[in-house]
């Protein structure tokens, strides 16, 4: 007889323990053990949450190299519970240690197979049982994770009406769940107590806005309240605010934006034409919002513009120099200038900020991070088994994404969702804007080095999103390159990896609706292509989401800076007129609904996992684990550098400090 020492790790989270009877079978190249009951002298308490339990499995002879275990859990006195093991380690009589990552809830009485931690691609399998286990795993996953079409023209999503329709390993932890709903409830209760949530009238006093969320200011939201009318701050938000990907170098003035040399005063920097030639003029064009039908809120028709905004870069700063609120030039669509009356110029900027809220939430935040991250996740879960290196690399970057998106579909963009009811672009407009956004979601625009070049913004100073984002891209790229070059030594390996090809094909089909003009690859032919694509996936799920998500409350807490809707039409002439700013801004209930939602969506949970931390240890081999350590060191150094850079700044840019954001789209 020979003995195998089996160590079972139960995850340290609420309800992870089991009091049921657990059985194990060890499978090696030379044979299998009997199905053995993991019996301990302390009985079922051996598999308590966070505990490590030791057992012995005896076999008549050595099983050779172990590559798989089978686990099953049977009722104890007719009582069945759920168990969440993290891993199983087995020490063989030859003295080798094998590690089997699990990280799955076992809720039934079925046999579940888990592979040894060494990453294996499908064509490298040499054992029929291993191949069988691999196929069965994907058959099961394709049943658990089905594609669905929530709205025609949008990326496909996970089939599931409520979070409970998801397998338990991809849902919120108990901690995350409790904190999320507690934050939501507190926000609502506060508004309810103040009696604000049902008041449909306009604000009469701008100072009253200060008292909406008395205790919920952030340093940044206080700055915003102070600076929101400043031109320099208005421009700053296009670099380091929540929508830092809209601004681009203006090489030719759009025909529908007839700004002339005489109109703009460039403070002694020459003519507009010359400054365009020198690359100092920048443009934001909200054409995707043109012609959509704005929402009706609390029975009142709302207004949504599709502005064009021109900026001038001078003395290391970006300044707005012209705004046209509608796309078609006309007498009732004047080009507003900083030299106009303070009221006209301020109202023009308010309409731009409101348009930016719609563009940011629907395109930049929802589509380009949340929905895309969901596509990456569903495709991975359906096509790639746990033993595959890509699964090990990417699964931590899918944490909580499916649940947060189901919740967004339920609470934000459903028929009665907050966005549908209270945003200018809620309802019918939303789908049109998102469909238009999808066709602009090119592969280049998702890869920050290409995007920065394509937008011609590499030389803008104090553009911290760009500076930190490029450094993060580089760090992630080197990490991905380090790991994947180990598993893909030649391009041929990439080509013949059928699971990898299925993964990318599904992303093209379900995420980009097979639109070839997006430039998203339909197949991967080289190691370089693979590394770049996987870098983009990790960057999008972690860095890009943080850049467009974390500042929502900072920039939105002072409502006039980010009006989620506007109740009156924009000015159609310049010159003296009645001041209707307060009647134009959102009414009281719309304001507080928007603010409490932004508060909720900017709040981190205490079980947050920062970029580059992999507590679940899917990789067990030395080489990738070394790459992870290197990755973590580089991220730590960047975090230190960003903190030093931020110290003297009045407006520190923290959204891309890797210590402060998650691996995945989780909020
Ligand atoms: Fe988000």
């Amino acid at each position: 007889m020979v003995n195998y020492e089996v160590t079972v790790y139960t995850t340290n989270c609420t309800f992870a323990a089991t009091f049921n009877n657990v059985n194990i079978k060890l499978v090696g190249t030379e044979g299998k053990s009997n199905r053995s009951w993991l019996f301990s002298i302390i009985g079922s308490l051996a598999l308590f949450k966070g505990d490590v339990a030791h057992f012995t499995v005896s076999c008549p002879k050595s099983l050779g190299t172990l590559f798989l275990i089978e686990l099953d859990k049977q009722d104890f006195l007719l009582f069945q519970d759920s168990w969440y093991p993290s891993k199983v380690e087995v020490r063989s009589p030859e003295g080798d240690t094998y590690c089997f990552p699990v990280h799955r809830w076992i809720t039934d009485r079925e046999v579940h197979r888990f592979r040894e931690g060494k990453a294996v691609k499908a064509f490298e399998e040499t054992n029929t049982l291993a191949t069988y286990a691999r196929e069965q795993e994907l058959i099961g996953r394709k049943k658990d994770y089905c594609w669905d079409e929530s709205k025609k023209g949008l990326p496909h999503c996970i089939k599931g009406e409520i979070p409970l329709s998801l397998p338990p390993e991809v849902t919120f932890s108990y901690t995350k769940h409790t904190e999320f709903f507690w934050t939501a409830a507190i926000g609502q209760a506060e508004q309810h107590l103040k009696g604000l949530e049902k008041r449909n009238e306009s604000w009469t006093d701008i100072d009253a806005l200060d008292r909406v969320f008395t205790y919920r200011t952030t340093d940044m939201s206080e700055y915003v309240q102070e600076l929101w009318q400043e031109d320099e701050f208005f421009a700053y938000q296009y670099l380091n605010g929540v929508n830092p990907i809209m601004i681009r170098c203006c090489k030719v003035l759009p025909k529908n934006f007839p700004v002339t040399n005489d109109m703009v005063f460039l403070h002694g920097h020459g003519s507009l034409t010359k400054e365009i030639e020198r690359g100092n003029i920048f443009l934001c064009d909200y054409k995707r919002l043109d012609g959509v039908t704005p929402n009706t809120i609390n029975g009142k028709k709302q207004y949504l513009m599709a502005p064009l905004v021109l900026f001038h870069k001078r003395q290391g700063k970006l300044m707005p120099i012209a705004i046209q609120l509608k796309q078609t030039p006309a007498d009732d669509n004047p080009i507003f200038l900083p030299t106009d009356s303070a009221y006209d110029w301020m109202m023009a900027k308010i309409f731009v900020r409101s348009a930016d809220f719609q563009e940011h939430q629907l395109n930049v935040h929802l589509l380009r991070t949340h929905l895309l991250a969901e596509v990456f996740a569903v495709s991975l879960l359906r096509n790639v088994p746990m033993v595959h290196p890509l699964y090990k690399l990417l699964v931590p970057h899918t944490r909580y994404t499916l649940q947060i998106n189901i919740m967004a579909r339920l609470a934000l963009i459903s028929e009665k969702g907050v966005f549908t009811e209270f945003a200018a672009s809620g309802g019918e407009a939303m789908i049109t804007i998102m469909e238009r956004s999808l066709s602009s979601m090119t592969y280049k625009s998702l890869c920050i080095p290409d995007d920065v070049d394509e937008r011609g913004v590499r030389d803008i100073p104090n553009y911290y999103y760009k500076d930190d984002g490029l450094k993060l891209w580089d760090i992630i790229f080197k990490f991905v390159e380090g790991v994947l070059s180990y598993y893909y030594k030649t391009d041929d390996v990439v080509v013949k990896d059928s699971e990898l090809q299925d993964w990318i094909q599904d992303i093209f089909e379900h995420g980009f609706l097979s639109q070839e003009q997006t430039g998203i690859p339909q197949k991967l032919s080289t190691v370089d292509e693979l590394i770049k694509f996987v870098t983009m996936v990790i960057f999008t799920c972690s860095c890009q989401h943080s850049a467009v998500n974390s500042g929502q409350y900072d920039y939105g807490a002072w409502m006039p800076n980010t009006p989620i809707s506007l109740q009156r039409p924009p000015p159609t002439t310049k010159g003296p007129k009645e001041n209707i700013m307060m009647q134009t801004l959102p009414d009281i209930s719309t304001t507080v609904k928007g603010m409490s939602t932004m508060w909720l969506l900017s709040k981190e949970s205490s079980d947050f996992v920062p970029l580059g931390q992999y507590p679940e240890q899917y990789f067990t081999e030395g080489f990738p684990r070394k790459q992870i350590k290197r990755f973590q060191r580089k991220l730590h150094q960047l975090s230190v550098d960003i903190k030093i850079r931020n110290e003297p700044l009045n407006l520190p840019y923290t959204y891309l400090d890797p210590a402060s954001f998650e691996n995945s789209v989780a909020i």
Side-chain angles (χ1 to χ4, degrees):
M1 288 297 267
V2 291
N3 288 336
Y4 287 84
E5 304 304 326
V6 175
T7 310
V8 180
Y9 296 76
T10 298
T11 310
N12 190 11
C13 73
T14 314
F15 308 126
T18 182
F19 294 95
N20 288 174
N21 296 318
V22 173
N23 302 293
I24 193 167
K25 189 190 273 187
L26 309 177
V27 184
T29 48
E30 305 298 321
K32 304 172 191 172
S33 73
N34 287 329
R35 177 171 167 259
S36 313
W37 178 28
L38 295 178
F39 178 75
S40 154
I41 46 167
I42 52 168
S44 305
L45 282 176
L47 300 173
F48 205 62
K49 76 164 194 165
D51 273 358
V52 179
H54 303 276
F55 309 92
T56 301
V57 171
S58 301
C59 302
K61 64 176 184 68
S62 168
L63 304 174
T65 305
L66 297 184
F67 62 87
L68 186 142
I69 54 169
E70 291 181 358
L71 290 175
D72 67 89
K73 181 178 72 59
Q74 303 303 320
D75 302 0
F76 175 69
L77 300 175
L78 296 177
F79 165 74
Q80 195 188 27
D81 60 16
S82 301
W83 177 42
Y84 195 12
S86 55
K87 63 177 176 178
V88 173
E89 275 174 6
V90 182
R91 190 163 167 80
S92 71
E94 293 83 14
D96 298 317
T97 300
Y98 299 89
C99 181
F100 299 84
V102 180
H103 309 298
R104 267 193 62 186
W105 284 93
I106 297 183
T107 56
D108 55 19
R109 302 178 191 88
E110 303 301 309
V111 169
H112 298 270
R113 297 181 185 86
F114 299 97
R115 298 292 301 277
E116 207 277 325
K118 182 179 182 304
V120 184
K121 298 179 277 298
F123 64 86
E124 293 164 341
E125 296 287 9
T126 51
N127 186 289
T128 47
L129 182 60
T131 305
Y132 174 75
R134 191 173 193 116
E135 287 165 1
Q136 288 303 304
E137 185 184 349
L138 290 184
I139 290 170
R141 292 256 207 83
K142 282 183 175 145
K143 276 191 206 142
D144 287 345
Y145 302 96
C146 297
W147 288 113
D148 200 4
E149 193 184 54
S150 67
K151 296 265 183 335
K152 217 176 160 38
L154 299 191
H156 297 168
C157 59
I158 184 75
K159 195 177 177 71
E161 308 264 297
I162 52 169
L164 276 177
S165 358
L166 292 171
E169 45 275 347
V170 296
T171 56
F172 285 2
S173 67
Y174 181 72
T175 311
K176 167 99 176 168
H177 179 91
T178 316
E179 286 179 2
F180 188 87
F181 286 98
W182 181 244
T183 309
I186 295 272
Q188 278 172 6
E190 195 173 330
Q191 298 322 316
H192 187 68
L193 286 173
K194 288 182 177 169
L196 296 174
E197 61 174 7
K198 291 209 161 32
R199 288 179 55 189
N200 297 344
E201 70 269 26
S202 295
W203 298 93
T204 49
D205 171 13
I206 198 157
D207 293 331
L209 285 166
D210 202 19
R211 299 188 285 274
V212 176
F213 268 137
T214 332
Y215 305 108
R216 290 161 204 260
T217 52
T218 61
D219 287 350
M220 197 63 196
S221 70
E222 283 177 4
Y223 273 124
V224 173
Q225 185 172 348
E226 205 182 301
L227 301 174
W228 73 282
Q229 295 194 61
E230 304 285 327
D231 281 1
E232 191 181 336
F233 181 68
F234 176 83
Y236 172 91
Q237 296 187 70
Y238 286 94
L239 305 179
N240 304 312
V242 289
N243 180 6
I245 61 166
M246 181 95 189
I247 192 155
R248 51 177 63 234
C249 188
C250 177
K251 293 185 181 108
V252 183
L253 214 51
K255 284 204 168 54
N256 59 336
F257 194 19
V259 184
T260 62
N261 284 328
D262 306 339
M263 282 183 191
V264 291
F265 176 59
L266 303 179
H267 296 261
H269 289 265
S271 69
L272 180 64
T273 322
K274 277 269 171 264
E275 284 298 86
I276 288 178
E277 277 170 23
R278 290 187 192 120
N280 287 332
I281 300 295
F282 295 84
L283 175 74
C284 280
D285 186 349
Y286 292 88
K287 58 186 166 203
R288 269 186 286 276
L289 307 180
D290 187 35
V292 299
T293 312
N295 213 347
T296 299
I297 299 175
N298 294 329
K300 275 178 280 179
K301 177 178 157 50
Q302 304 292 303
Y303 294 87
L304 169 60
M305 298 298 110
L308 295 120
V309 189
L310 212 58
F311 298 89
H312 181 216
K313 185 181 78 173
R314 59 176 176 249
Q315 287 141 3
K317 283 180 196 160
L318 202 63
M319 297 297 274
I321 53 168
I323 294 172
Q324 180 181 292
L325 292 176
K326 291 175 261 186
Q327 289 282 313
T328 312
D331 289 344
D332 64 352
N333 184 22
I335 294 176
F336 292 98
L337 306 165
T339 46
D340 293 339
S341 73
Y343 175 77
D344 280 344
W345 183 236
M346 178 190 67
M347 287 302 279
K349 286 191 290 181
I350 285 177
F351 274 89
V352 173
R353 293 296 308 150
S354 185
D356 192 71
F357 173 85
Q358 325 301 328
E359 166 75 18
H360 163 254
Q361 290 296 2
L362 293 179
N363 179 24
V364 176
H365 184 202
L366 180 61
L367 175 68
R368 298 176 71 101
T369 62
H370 278 257
L371 299 189
L372 207 49
E374 182 173 2
V375 168
F376 299 148
V378 177
S379 182
L380 184 78
L381 291 162
R382 284 176 62 85
N383 295 301
V384 188
M386 208 167 141
V387 72
H388 195 286
L390 190 74
Y391 185 92
K392 292 171 186 285
L393 183 60
L394 288 185
V395 79
H397 299 282
T398 67
R399 182 172 179 255
Y400 296 157
T401 304
L402 302 185
Q403 172 155 357
I404 197 73
N405 281 9
I406 287 184
M407 287 165 61
R409 281 191 280 276
L410 278 175
L412 297 180
I413 56 173
S414 63
E415 215 177 304
K416 290 274 160 215
V418 175
F419 196 91
T420 311
E421 288 205 286
F422 296 100
S425 60
E428 201 188 310
M430 184 177 82
I431 303 302
T432 316
I433 296 168
M434 288 185 70
E435 273 175 8
R436 291 176 184 173
S437 304
L438 182 77
S439 52
S440 78
M441 194 167 64
T442 61
Y443 187 31
K444 276 191 170 177
S445 72
L446 295 168
C447 301
I448 189 169
D450 298 340
D451 179 54
V452 161
D453 287 338
E454 203 172 44
R455 290 192 290 119
V457 292
R458 211 169 258 273
D459 297 329
I460 297 185
N462 307 321
Y463 192 176
Y464 307 120
Y465 160 79
K466 172 207 64 175
D467 298 343
D468 299 351
L470 286 171
K471 285 177 192 153
L472 279 161
W473 175 275
D474 202 42
I475 292 172
I476 296 171
F477 185 92
K478 293 214 167 70
F479 166 60
V480 172
E481 186 180 40
V483 174
L484 290 182
S485 328
Y486 178 69
Y487 294 107
Y488 296 87
K489 302 258 191 275
T490 62
D491 295 343
D492 184 45
V493 182
V494 174
V495 174
K496 67 182 181 189
D497 186 341
S498 56
E499 290 162 342
L500 179 72
Q501 300 297 345
D502 289 346
W503 173 70
I504 191 83
Q505 177 63 40
D506 247 15
I507 291 172
F508 176 72
E509 216 177 294
H510 295 277
F512 294 82
L513 309 183
S514 304
Q515 295 188 15
E516 283 182 24
Q517 85 281 3
T518 59
I520 289 292
Q522 302 176 46
K523 60 181 172 57
L524 294 166
S525 310
T526 66
V527 181
D528 289 347
E529 280 175 18
L530 169 65
I531 291 166
K532 182 171 179 180
F533 194 84
V534 172
T535 302
M536 182 277 285
V537 170
I538 297 179
F539 185 87
T540 301
C541 298
S542 55
C543 314
Q544 187 64 16
H545 179 253
S546 176
V548 304
N549 181 83
S550 308
Q552 288 180 96
Y553 191 73
D554 284 346
Y555 284 93
W558 180 247
M559 176 274 275
N561 186 57
T562 312
I564 75 171
S565 189
L566 291 170
Q567 308 189 75
R568 299 287 284 267
T572 51
T573 54
K574 296 190 193 190
K577 55 180 77 69
E578 187 196 352
N579 186 328
I580 53 161
M581 184 185 85
M582 295 312 290
Q583 294 96 305
T584 304
L585 291 171
D587 66 26
I588 297 175
S589 71
T590 306
T591 305
V592 299
K593 288 274 176 16
M595 281 168 71
S596 49
T597 307
M598 283 188 257
W599 166 257
L600 176 66
L601 298 181
S602 308
K603 199 120 175 62
E604 293 296 357
S605 139
S606 63
D607 75 348
F608 133 119
V609 180
L611 176 63
Q613 298 300 318
Y614 300 115
E616 289 187 331
Q617 298 188 9
Y618 284 93
F619 281 111
T620 60
E621 295 159 272
F623 188 84
R625 295 198 57 73
K626 223 185 262 172
Q627 299 296 317
I628 290 172
K629 286 264 172 276
R630 244 180 84 195
F631 182 39
Q632 290 169 342
R633 278 199 302 273
K634 286 189 179 174
L635 290 172
H636 176 71
Q637 188 53 53
L638 179 64
S639 172
V640 171
D641 294 346
I642 288 175
K643 285 185 178 80
I644 294 171
R645 189 267 322 271
N646 281 343
E647 237 165 59
L649 298 180
N650 286 333
L651 301 176
Y653 185 71
T654 56
Y655 307 134
L656 286 181
D657 174 349
S660 72
F661 62 87
E662 302 212 46
N663 265 328
S664 60
V665 174
I667 189 77

Short mmCIF file of all heavy atoms in Angstrom, two decimals, residues 387-407:
data_model
loop_
_atom_site.label_atom_id
_atom_site.label_comp_id
_atom_site.label_asym_id
_atom_site.label_seq_id
_atom_site.Cartn_x
_atom_site.Cartn_y
_atom_site.Cartn_z
N VAL A 387 -8.21 24.70 -16.87
CA VAL A 387 -6.81 24.26 -16.95
C VAL A 387 -6.03 25.04 -18.02
O VAL A 387 -4.82 24.95 -18.13
CB VAL A 387 -6.76 22.73 -17.20
CG1 VAL A 387 -7.20 22.39 -18.62
CG2 VAL A 387 -5.41 22.14 -16.87
N HIS A 388 -6.74 25.83 -18.80
CA HIS A 388 -6.12 26.59 -19.89
C HIS A 388 -5.41 27.83 -19.35
O HIS A 388 -5.93 28.50 -18.45
CB HIS A 388 -7.23 27.00 -20.87
CG HIS A 388 -6.72 27.47 -22.19
ND1 HIS A 388 -6.11 28.69 -22.35
CD2 HIS A 388 -6.73 26.90 -23.42
CE1 HIS A 388 -5.77 28.84 -23.62
NE2 HIS A 388 -6.13 27.76 -24.30
N PRO A 389 -4.22 28.18 -19.89
CA PRO A 389 -3.50 29.35 -19.35
C PRO A 389 -4.29 30.65 -19.47
O PRO A 389 -4.19 31.53 -18.60
CB PRO A 389 -2.22 29.42 -20.19
CG PRO A 389 -2.42 28.52 -21.36
CD PRO A 389 -3.43 27.50 -20.94
N LEU A 390 -5.10 30.78 -20.52
CA LEU A 390 -5.87 32.02 -20.69
C LEU A 390 -6.92 32.17 -19.58
O LEU A 390 -7.16 33.26 -19.09
CB LEU A 390 -6.55 32.03 -22.07
CG LEU A 390 -7.18 33.36 -22.44
CD1 LEU A 390 -6.12 34.38 -22.81
CD2 LEU A 390 -8.17 33.20 -23.58
N TYR A 391 -7.52 31.05 -19.21
CA TYR A 391 -8.52 31.09 -18.12
C TYR A 391 -7.85 31.56 -16.83
O TYR A 391 -8.34 32.45 -16.13
CB TYR A 391 -9.14 29.71 -17.93
CG TYR A 391 -10.26 29.71 -16.91
CD1 TYR A 391 -11.58 29.90 -17.30
CD2 TYR A 391 -9.99 29.52 -15.55
CE1 TYR A 391 -12.61 29.92 -16.36
CE2 TYR A 391 -11.01 29.54 -14.61
CZ TYR A 391 -12.32 29.72 -15.02
OH TYR A 391 -13.33 29.75 -14.09
N LYS A 392 -6.70 30.97 -16.55
CA LYS A 392 -5.99 31.31 -15.30
C LYS A 392 -5.61 32.79 -15.29
O LYS A 392 -5.66 33.43 -14.25
CB LYS A 392 -4.73 30.45 -15.17
CG LYS A 392 -5.03 28.97 -14.95
CD LYS A 392 -3.75 28.14 -15.05
CE LYS A 392 -4.05 26.66 -14.98
NZ LYS A 392 -4.38 26.22 -13.61
N LEU A 393 -5.24 33.29 -16.46
CA LEU A 393 -4.81 34.68 -16.55
C LEU A 393 -6.00 35.65 -16.45
O LEU A 393 -5.90 36.70 -15.81
CB LEU A 393 -4.08 34.87 -17.90
CG LEU A 393 -3.47 36.23 -18.20
CD1 LEU A 393 -2.42 36.59 -17.15
CD2 LEU A 393 -2.81 36.21 -19.58
N LEU A 394 -7.10 35.29 -17.08
CA LEU A 394 -8.18 36.28 -17.21
C LEU A 394 -9.34 36.15 -16.21
O LEU A 394 -10.05 37.12 -16.00
CB LEU A 394 -8.75 36.25 -18.63
CG LEU A 394 -7.84 36.85 -19.70
CD1 LEU A 394 -8.56 36.88 -21.04
CD2 LEU A 394 -7.40 38.26 -19.33
N VAL A 395 -9.51 34.98 -15.63
CA VAL A 395 -10.72 34.85 -14.79
C VAL A 395 -10.75 35.84 -13.61
O VAL A 395 -11.82 36.35 -13.27
CB VAL A 395 -10.99 33.38 -14.39
CG1 VAL A 395 -10.11 32.92 -13.24
CG2 VAL A 395 -12.47 33.20 -14.06
N PRO A 396 -9.60 36.20 -13.01
CA PRO A 396 -9.69 37.21 -11.93
C PRO A 396 -10.19 38.56 -12.44
O PRO A 396 -10.67 39.37 -11.66
CB PRO A 396 -8.25 37.33 -11.43
CG PRO A 396 -7.55 36.10 -11.90
CD PRO A 396 -8.21 35.73 -13.20
N HIS A 397 -10.07 38.78 -13.73
CA HIS A 397 -10.50 40.07 -14.29
C HIS A 397 -11.98 40.05 -14.70
O HIS A 397 -12.45 40.97 -15.37
CB HIS A 397 -9.59 40.46 -15.46
CG HIS A 397 -8.16 40.60 -15.02
ND1 HIS A 397 -7.71 41.72 -14.37
CD2 HIS A 397 -7.12 39.74 -15.07
CE1 HIS A 397 -6.44 41.55 -14.05
NE2 HIS A 397 -6.05 40.35 -14.46
N THR A 398 -12.68 38.98 -14.32
CA THR A 398 -14.12 38.91 -14.61
C THR A 398 -14.94 38.98 -13.32
O THR A 398 -16.16 38.91 -13.37
CB THR A 398 -14.48 37.59 -15.32
OG1 THR A 398 -14.26 36.49 -14.41
CG2 THR A 398 -13.64 37.36 -16.56
N ARG A 399 -14.27 39.11 -12.17
CA ARG A 399 -14.95 39.02 -10.87
C ARG A 399 -16.10 40.04 -10.76
O ARG A 399 -15.90 41.22 -10.96
CB ARG A 399 -13.93 39.24 -9.76
CG ARG A 399 -14.44 39.13 -8.36
CD ARG A 399 -13.23 39.19 -7.42
NE ARG A 399 -13.60 39.12 -6.03
CZ ARG A 399 -13.59 40.17 -5.22
NH1 ARG A 399 -13.27 41.36 -5.67
NH2 ARG A 399 -13.91 40.03 -3.95
N TYR A 400 -17.24 39.55 -10.42
CA TYR A 400 -18.46 40.34 -10.16
C TYR A 400 -19.07 41.02 -11.38
O TYR A 400 -20.08 41.71 -11.27
CB TYR A 400 -18.24 41.41 -9.08
CG TYR A 400 -17.90 40.89 -7.70
CD1 TYR A 400 -17.22 41.69 -6.79
CD2 TYR A 400 -18.25 39.62 -7.28
CE1 TYR A 400 -16.90 41.25 -5.51
CE2 TYR A 400 -17.95 39.16 -6.01
CZ TYR A 400 -17.27 39.97 -5.13
OH TYR A 400 -16.97 39.53 -3.86
N THR A 401 -18.43 40.92 -12.54
CA THR A 401 -18.91 41.69 -13.70
C THR A 401 -20.31 41.26 -14.12
O THR A 401 -21.16 42.09 -14.44
CB THR A 401 -17.92 41.53 -14.87
OG1 THR A 401 -16.64 41.95 -14.41
CG2 THR A 401 -18.32 42.37 -16.06
N LEU A 402 -20.56 39.94 -14.15
CA LEU A 402 -21.87 39.49 -14.62
C LEU A 402 -22.97 39.98 -13.69
O LEU A 402 -24.02 40.44 -14.13
CB LEU A 402 -21.90 37.96 -14.75
CG LEU A 402 -20.84 37.35 -15.68
CD1 LEU A 402 -21.05 35.85 -15.81
CD2 LEU A 402 -20.86 38.01 -17.05
N GLN A 403 -22.72 39.91 -12.39
CA GLN A 403 -23.77 40.35 -11.46
C GLN A 403 -23.99 41.86 -11.53
O GLN A 403 -25.14 42.32 -11.55
CB GLN A 403 -23.45 39.94 -10.01
CG GLN A 403 -24.45 40.58 -9.06
CD GLN A 403 -24.67 39.87 -7.76
OE1 GLN A 403 -24.11 38.80 -7.52
NE2 GLN A 403 -25.49 40.45 -6.90
N ILE A 404 -22.93 42.64 -11.56
CA ILE A 404 -23.13 44.11 -11.56
C ILE A 404 -23.87 44.52 -12.84
O ILE A 404 -24.71 45.43 -12.82
CB ILE A 404 -21.80 44.89 -11.37
CG1 ILE A 404 -22.08 46.35 -10.96
CG2 ILE A 404 -20.91 44.91 -12.59
CD1 ILE A 404 -22.56 46.54 -9.57
N ASN A 405 -23.62 43.80 -13.94
CA ASN A 405 -24.31 44.17 -15.18
C ASN A 405 -25.78 43.75 -15.16
O ASN A 405 -26.64 44.47 -15.66
CB ASN A 405 -23.59 43.56 -16.38
CG ASN A 405 -22.36 44.38 -16.75
OD1 ASN A 405 -21.97 45.28 -16.02
ND2 ASN A 405 -21.77 44.08 -17.88
N ILE A 406 -26.06 42.59 -14.58
CA ILE A 406 -27.48 42.20 -14.44
C ILE A 406 -28.19 43.25 -13.58
O ILE A 406 -29.30 43.70 -13.89
CB ILE A 406 -27.61 40.79 -13.81
CG1 ILE A 406 -27.19 39.73 -14.84
CG2 ILE A 406 -29.03 40.53 -13.32
CD1 ILE A 406 -27.36 38.30 -14.38
N MET A 407 -27.52 43.70 -12.52
CA MET A 407 -28.14 44.70 -11.64
C MET A 407 -28.32 46.03 -12.37
O MET A 407 -29.31 46.73 -12.16
CB MET A 407 -27.30 44.85 -10.37
CG MET A 407 -27.48 43.65 -9.46
SD MET A 407 -26.26 43.51 -8.16
CE MET A 407 -26.51 44.98 -7.26
#
